[in-house]
Structure formats: structure tokens, C-alpha cells
Amino acid sequence: MDRQVKIAILRRYESYCYQICHYLIQQEPYASQAAKEALLSIAVDACFFTDSDETRKDKIRRTSIRMSLLWQGNSIKI
């Protein structure tokens, strides 16, 4: 699949990912970083780009939650 197509697919889920991260972390800088890392993590999943919309949303949700918990833990230590 073309790189530009993959980027376009990821952009469709970018705000959804950020919303989840921001809701959980409640701090913009950490939410942005968590969302960025979640999307980068998803980007290497080749199956993501051929999955259904429902499956993609599920993967985005799970990955966003995981990254948010990691960043929230990091913000507590700082």
C-alpha cells in the first residue's frame, strides 16, 4: 500500500486518538505525546490498513489507552 494512502487513513483517526488520550491524561502536552506514540505504534501494524473501520477504531482505542497510561505514569514521576 502506498505511503500517502496509509497517512490518509491514519489522519482519519488522529482526532479520535487524541480525544481518548486527552480525556484520560487531562494534560495537553502529555496527551499529544501519547497520541503521537499511539499512532506511530499503529502505523507499523500492516493489518490495520486492511481492517474494517470498526476494527481500526478498536485498535486505536486500545492503543490510545495503553499509551495514555504510560504517559500518565511518566507525568506523575516528573
Side-chain angles (χ1 to χ4, degrees), residues 29-56:
Y30 297 118
S32 292
Q33 284 297 95
K36 178 181 167 183
E37 290 195 21
L39 290 169
L40 288 172
S41 176
I42 291 280
V44 297
D45 178 4
C47 295
F48 177 80
F49 300 100
T50 58
D51 287 336
S52 68
D53 184 57
E54 186 177 320
T55 303
R56 287 178 184 170

Side-chain angles (χ1 to χ4, degrees), residues 1-10 12 49:
M1 184 176 287
D2 181 65
R3 182 176 183 215
Q4 294 302 321
V5 174
K6 288 181 178 182
I7 290 170
I9 291 170
L10 285 170
R12 281 190 247 158
F49 300 100

Side-chain angles (χ1 to χ4, degrees), residues 7-78:
I7 290 170
I9 291 170
L10 285 170
R11 283 195 176 142
R12 281 190 247 158
Y13 299 95
E14 186 176 15
S15 65
Y16 179 61
C17 179
Y18 177 77
Q19 287 172 357
I20 294 167
C21 294
H22 191 269
Y23 178 80
L24 293 170
I25 298 174
Q26 299 286 312
Q27 294 180 26
E28 196 281 326
Y30 297 118
S32 292
Q33 284 297 95
K36 178 181 167 183
E37 290 195 21
L39 290 169
L40 288 172
S41 176
I42 291 280
V44 297
D45 178 4
C47 295
F48 177 80
F49 300 100
T50 58
D51 287 336
S52 68
D53 184 57
E54 186 177 320
T55 303
R56 287 178 184 170
K57 282 186 175 182
D58 183 54
K59 286 183 178 183
I60 290 286
R61 184 177 58 253
R62 286 186 283 120
T63 306
S64 298
I65 291 169
R66 184 170 13 98
M67 290 302 173
S68 293
L69 291 173
L70 288 171
W71 273 95
Q72 193 170 28
N74 288 341
S75 70
I76 292 170
K77 292 177 190 175
I78 295 175

